[in-house]
Amino acid sequence: MKKYIYRGLVMAFAVAISSCTTEDLEPTLAQSKSVEESVNKVDNLFSILKGIHSILSTSGYYGQDVIITNEVRSDNAFSNGGSGRYTTESQYVYNNNSDLIWNNAYEVIANTNIIINADVESLEGDVDYGRHIQGQATAIRALAHFDLLREYGQQHTGNGNLGVPIVTEYKGEDLFPARNTIDEVKAAIYSDLETAFSMMDAQYDNTNVYISKYAAKALESRVAVYFGDWSRAVSAAEEVINSGLYSIVPADNFVSSWTTDGGPNIIFELAASQVDNAGINGLAYIYQINDDGSGYGDVTATSELLGIYEASDVRLGVISTDGDFIRNVGKYPDNVNFTDNIPLIRYEEVVLNYAEALLETGGDALTELNKLPANRGASLYTEATKENIILERRKELAFEGFRYDDQLRVGMDMEARGTDGGVIEVINYPSYLFAWPIPLSEMNANSNMVQNDGY
């Protein structure tokens, strides 16, 4: 695996520092010396951190693939095949010729390891800020391992306990690491998130386009809900809620909140600008088609999704029924300049995580659950049930890449859909198709790698 990680890592590091001036780094980098030896200042760590966030925002990661792949495999959406994109994912006929996010996620991890393993005490600059950056890198390493685990791990296959390799060094002696177990990867993720929270100082969190102290706890609540670690989910969500830093966007501002960056509900988002964005390979272009015909518009919402909303629900405002298909036009709406930031963690998700965890631990789940419909022009629930919470998650988080994981973690059967939206096959839970194949390039390079069943 590391053969493939390191092959592109010097380029990745170059990307990480490209937005900074030449004074940010020592000249040793230009002389092709060790990357680690080129880190002499705290500012160098921040340069790498910026590059990590840039990788996360590429079309091969959160800029499109992670979110869209998980939408079209759910009952929220399918690929209509307009440009041929995501039809194999929508129909569950993908194979190991694609690497999905494997290489990008491990690039992220490799770069975080440069920061995490740096001797911050020896660096020029604000050492406390350097420790904060190390905490940020540790949280992102957890995010990347979690992304890899939920896509490639065998937790929903009904056969096996393999996760993904845990990588904690930029360059280590083990060039061909084997896959760790699901429990080992989960433990590493939790350990990183706990460490990150303890290392970060909220005084340095002056923007939400870089991962922050409370984003680490919000992410921990997400991981804990995914794995059903309910007491941990309660504690992590309460840290975020009790911080008082965030609030649910009210009904009148819900649709418009997607046209502006930041906001009281944004815990962590990836930045985009007119000079730095995914362009036609981003989320807006794959969801939409403009009046002039620009845009791919391959991803179509199902009529079933449209039918779960009441007429008064403001969330209907992001969905268009004009033309032949039902489309998301309100989340990631900028299909011209592509300047919309990509929210990765919204406060609304944390509230829903909290509600579900309270339901499972005997707390007041109904009060938390009803905070969402109360701010969306929808009817309040009279009872907090698993079904109602999963339904509300579907309503609130549609088109953001959550539904696939939510369906799997509660054991739902899945539907493969053709380009007309018709169900081709019902895939019973569990199934080997619920774990993405390890890329063929990785299998050929790493003799210790074990392929998921069925590929």
Side-chain angles (χ1 to χ4, degrees):
M1 175 187 64
K2 291 187 180 180
K3 177 179 179 181
Y4 281 83
I5 294 173
Y6 298 148
R7 182 174 63 182
L9 203 50
V10 173
M11 182 177 296
F13 185 73
V15 170
I17 64 172
S18 63
S19 61
C20 303
T21 65
T22 54
E23 288 78 17
D24 286 326
L25 289 171
E26 298 299 317
T28 51
L29 185 63
Q31 298 166 7
S32 299
K33 292 186 178 180
S34 166
V35 171
E36 298 98 322
E37 292 175 2
S38 301
V39 176
N40 298 298
K41 302 175 182 177
V42 169
D43 285 348
N44 299 158
L45 299 183
F46 180 62
S47 297
I48 302 170
L49 185 74
K50 287 200 290 186
I52 291 168
H53 284 76
S54 293
I55 298 170
L56 288 172
S57 66
T58 60
S59 60
Y61 210 151
Y62 278 105
Q64 190 176 103
D65 281 359
V66 169
I67 291 173
I68 299 301
T69 296
N70 283 1
E71 283 298 305
V72 299
R73 289 188 291 174
S74 77
D75 54 6
N76 277 355
F78 62 94
S79 173
N80 61 51
S83 71
R85 288 167 170 80
Y86 296 103
T87 56
T88 56
E89 292 86 348
S90 184
Q91 297 174 28
Y92 284 82
V93 293
Y94 38 82
N95 57 55
N96 62 1
N97 288 317
S98 170
D99 67 9
L100 187 59
I101 62 164
W102 184 275
N103 289 334
N104 284 328
Y106 276 117
E107 274 193 48
V108 166
I109 290 168
N111 279 277
T112 62
N113 287 335
I114 297 172
I115 297 175
I116 292 166
N117 295 319
D119 180 7
V120 70
E121 300 289 340
S122 68
L123 302 182
E124 177 184 334
D126 184 343
V127 171
D128 289 338
Y129 181 47
R131 293 193 190 96
H132 178 78
I133 294 172
Q134 287 184 314
Q136 290 175 291
T138 304
I140 295 175
R141 184 171 72 180
L143 172 63
H145 276 123
F146 179 54
D147 290 337
L148 287 161
L149 180 60
R150 64 194 179 95
E151 297 294 353
Y152 297 95
Q154 296 177 343
Q155 55 270 19
H156 301 298
T157 66
N159 184 20
N161 68 342
L162 293 179
V164 295
I166 301 169
V167 178
T168 58
E169 295 178 286
Y170 169 56
K171 290 182 179 179
E173 294 181 359
D174 184 6
L175 297 179
F176 307 104
R179 297 172 69 175
N180 292 89
T181 67
I182 294 166
D183 284 343
E184 288 170 341
V185 181
K186 182 175 73 168
I189 292 167
Y190 282 147
S191 177
D192 271 355
L193 291 173
E194 291 167 357
T195 299
F197 185 76
S198 67
M199 291 185 71
M200 282 189 274
D201 188 334
Q203 71 169 313
Y204 297 110
D205 291 330
N206 54 15
T207 176
N208 51 26
V209 297
Y210 294 105
I211 200 160
S212 64
K213 184 177 182 71
Y214 286 99
K217 280 298 173 184
L219 180 56
E220 185 179 340
S221 76
R222 177 186 296 180
V223 177
V225 165
Y226 181 86
F227 284 110
D229 296 326
W230 302 115
S231 294
R232 180 183 285 270
V234 168
S235 297
E238 284 179 345
E239 287 278 4
V240 180
I241 293 168
N242 293 338
S243 73
L245 297 172
Y246 312 101
S247 60
I248 295 172
V249 168
D252 290 347
N253 298 338
F254 176 76
V255 175
S256 63
S257 71
W258 290 92
T259 66
T260 57
D261 298 335
N265 66 327
I266 300 299
I267 299 175
F268 177 40
E269 65 182 356
L270 297 173
S273 68
Q274 287 190 319
V275 297
D276 186 9
N277 58 70
I280 64 172
N281 293 314
L283 291 163
Y285 225 69
I286 200 69
Y287 272 125
Q288 301 173 47
I289 293 180
N290 287 336
D291 292 339
D292 64 2
S294 62
Y296 298 129
D298 288 69
V299 180
T300 301
T302 62
S303 57
E304 178 188 339
L305 175 66
L306 185 66
I308 68 174
Y309 296 100
E310 299 171 87
S312 59
D313 196 321
V314 297
R315 289 170 291 201
L316 278 174
V318 305
I319 301 175
S320 170
T321 56
D322 295 338
D324 296 330
F325 295 110
I326 305 166
R327 299 188 186 281
N328 162 44
V329 296
K331 293 185 178 182
Y332 331 107
D334 187 353
N335 196 19
V336 177
N337 297 311
F338 315 111
T339 58
D340 293 321
N341 288 356
I342 304 170
L344 293 194
I345 307 176
R346 295 196 290 126
Y347 182 65
E348 289 87 348
E349 180 210 344
V350 176
V351 172
L352 288 167
N353 292 344
Y354 190 40
E356 189 171 355
L358 288 174
L359 175 71
E360 297 287 351
T361 56
D364 182 9
L366 184 60
T367 296
E368 298 303 317
L369 174 61
N370 274 331
K371 289 179 179 178
L372 270 295
N375 284 281
R376 297 293 179 262
S379 299
L380 301 184
Y381 293 94
T382 59
E383 183 182 7
T385 64
K386 193 77 165 184
E387 181 180 8
N388 285 343
I389 291 171
I390 296 300
L391 174 62
E392 190 60 28
R393 287 179 66 89
R394 188 181 186 187
K395 291 178 181 180
E396 180 67 24
L397 304 173
F399 309 119
E400 298 175 57
F402 289 89
R403 179 61 176 171
Y404 176 75
D405 289 329
D406 281 349
Q407 286 187 268
L408 291 186
R409 67 183 179 82
V410 297
M412 291 187 187
D413 297 336
M414 308 295 279
E415 296 173 338
R417 293 180 181 266
T419 54
D420 63 353
V423 176
I424 297 173
E425 179 186 3
V426 175
I427 304 166
N428 294 326
Y429 183 93
S431 170
Y432 80 91
L433 288 168
F434 301 152
W436 200 267
I438 305 299
L440 182 61
S441 58
E442 183 66 33
M443 296 301 303
N444 290 338
N446 185 351
S447 58
N448 293 323
M449 185 59 57
V450 175
Q451 182 60 276
N452 284 323
D453 289 344
Y455 303 103

